Amino acid sequence: MVMVLTLFVYNYLERELRKLIVEQNEMVENHVKKRITNPTMKMVIFQFRGIHTVKHGPSHENQEQAETLNAKQKHILSILGQSYQKLYV
C-alpha cells in the first residue's frame, strides 16, 4: 500500500511540474545539460540531493533555512511557485 501511495505522489508531482513548465513556456536542464520540457521526477529529485538545512534562532528551533541553492534548483523552484519556494527559503 505504501508503494502504491508513493508512486501516486511521484506521478502526480511529475505531471504537475510538466504542466507548469508548458504553461510558463519554460525549460529545465537535464543531467547532460540539454534543455527539456518533460523532466522526470527522478531527475528533479536528483537535482535536489545533498541540500542541507541550517537552523537559526534561539535554541535552533525557530527558523530553518536551506543552504545556498544552485541555479538549477532555484529555476525549478521558481517554476513550481511560492508554496515550494517557502520550503527552501
Side-chain angles (χ1 to χ4, degrees):
M1 185 66 176
V2 173
M3 185 64 165
V4 171
L5 182 60
T6 304
L7 289 172
F8 175 75
V9 170
Y10 183 93
N11 186 292
Y12 173 77
L13 291 173
E14 185 175 274
R15 191 168 6 109
E16 283 298 306
L17 177 60
R18 289 178 177 185
K19 184 180 87 172
L20 289 169
I21 287 172
V22 170
E23 285 176 1
Q24 297 175 19
N25 197 23
E26 289 283 347
M27 296 182 124
V28 295
E29 276 188 11
N30 65 7
H31 61 287
V32 292
K33 299 189 189 287
K34 181 180 177 187
R35 300 195 42 88
I36 58 174
T37 59
N38 60 343
T40 63
M41 192 47 61
K42 180 179 179 180
M43 185 206 81
V44 173
I45 291 170
F46 188 75
Q47 292 288 337
F48 282 86
R49 76 187 188 289
I51 293 179
H52 299 95
T53 57
V54 178
K55 293 185 179 186
H56 299 278
S59 304
H60 302 292
E61 60 190 32
N62 288 348
Q63 192 177 33
E64 196 168 327
Q65 181 180 11
E67 289 182 345
T68 57
L69 301 173
N70 65 34
K72 287 181 183 180
Q73 294 164 339
K74 289 178 183 178
H75 182 66
I76 291 170
L77 287 174
S78 71
I79 292 170
L80 290 171
Q82 288 289 345
S83 60
Y84 290 91
Q85 289 175 349
K86 287 179 188 175
L87 298 171
Y88 290 95
V89 176

